[in-house]
Amino acid sequence: MRIGLIGTGNVARALAAGWQAAGHDVELGSRSPKERGGAEELTGFTVVGLAEAAARGEVLVNATPGTASMGVLNEIGAGALAGKVLVDIGVGFTEGMELSHPNYSLSEEIQAAFPETPVVKTLATVDSVVMKDPGSLEEMGTIFLSGDDAAAKRTVRQLLGDLGWPDASQLDLGGIGTARGQEHFALLFMGVAEAIGSYGFGIKVVRPRTRTV
């Protein structure tokens, strides 16, 4: 599969490495590919312009900071995004470390702005290391999906599986409105990270015991 990642930061690089290892054709999209392409941390990755990454990718991934995402996607344009599955990972924080989308989610904003582009929210509840290597945890956690398009979700489930997330660990929360729960978890994520001294953790949905009569 051809995957265009919008962004060149830690998240984009981690996912690019994971999907490249699984055999996918991956490109990182940057506003300034010539300047960023020679950076040491981008060695081994193909870095192209935003428009080129969007044009080539069958699946696009928003790996930009949540406060910058709409500007970047608007720069690419609705026409270039139409018909592409867009995996949204972004979570926005203000300078005061408050959520930039307190009453809704970035994913909802993206879906409303680009109705011809099915958006799926996922991977927003773990850090970049765990995203591509869930086996780094003591036990398998739960990863979540939110989105309105069933076919897009099936595609994303496959890509999550290629990163090492088994189907049993993927929990479909429902429509794109449920993405706000994933994004708002960021507040608890920061608290847990501070408490344990690490961002490298996951969460797991533990179901109730089956009662016997």
Side-chain angles (χ1 to χ4, degrees):
M1 195 175 296
R2 296 190 304 277
I3 304 172
L5 289 114
I6 308 305
T8 58
N10 292 338
V11 168
R13 297 196 304 271
L15 292 175
W19 281 321
Q20 280 184 170
H24 296 289
D25 183 4
V26 179
E27 293 181 332
L28 302 180
S30 169
R31 278 191 170 123
S32 51
K34 293 182 180 179
E35 289 81 0
R36 300 294 297 277
E40 183 178 349
E41 65 268 21
L42 294 175
T43 300
F45 300 114
T46 300
V47 182
V48 299
L50 295 174
E52 192 172 353
R56 292 183 182 178
E58 300 169 86
V59 173
L60 305 179
V61 181
N62 174 40
T64 63
T67 51
S69 298
M70 286 303 300
V72 173
L73 294 173
N74 281 322
E75 184 177 332
I76 294 171
L81 297 173
K84 307 291 183 79
V85 174
L86 178 64
V87 181
D88 176 40
I89 302 170
V91 177
F93 277 101
T94 68
E95 291 184 2
M97 291 306 293
E98 297 179 345
L99 289 171
S100 62
H101 295 72
N103 300 315
Y104 55 100
S105 67
L106 171 64
S107 291
E108 290 173 278
E109 183 179 12
I110 294 172
Q111 188 63 90
F114 304 101
E116 301 303 316
T117 303
V119 178
V120 179
K121 187 76 172 195
T122 192
L123 295 172
T125 55
V126 292
D127 82 333
S128 59
V129 174
V130 178
M131 285 179 192
K132 79 171 183 95
D133 186 15
S136 63
L137 303 178
E138 291 182 350
E139 60 180 281
M140 187 62 64
T142 304
I143 205 72
F144 306 97
L145 298 95
S146 302
D148 296 332
D149 190 285
K153 281 183 180 175
R154 287 193 295 271
T155 297
V156 176
R157 292 185 75 96
Q158 176 188 334
L159 291 175
L160 290 173
D162 291 340
L163 292 173
W165 294 95
D167 191 67
S169 293
Q170 301 181 32
L171 182 58
D172 187 342
L173 298 179
I176 199 64
T178 65
R180 68 186 67 179
Q182 294 194 55
E183 293 183 23
H184 289 195
F185 175 76
L187 298 175
L188 179 57
F189 179 92
M190 297 302 292
V192 172
E194 184 175 350
I196 68 173
S198 173
Y199 295 112
F201 66 92
I203 58 173
K204 183 176 183 179
V205 174
V206 181
R207 300 178 186 273
R209 293 183 183 275
T210 302
R211 296 185 178 274
T212 57
V213 180

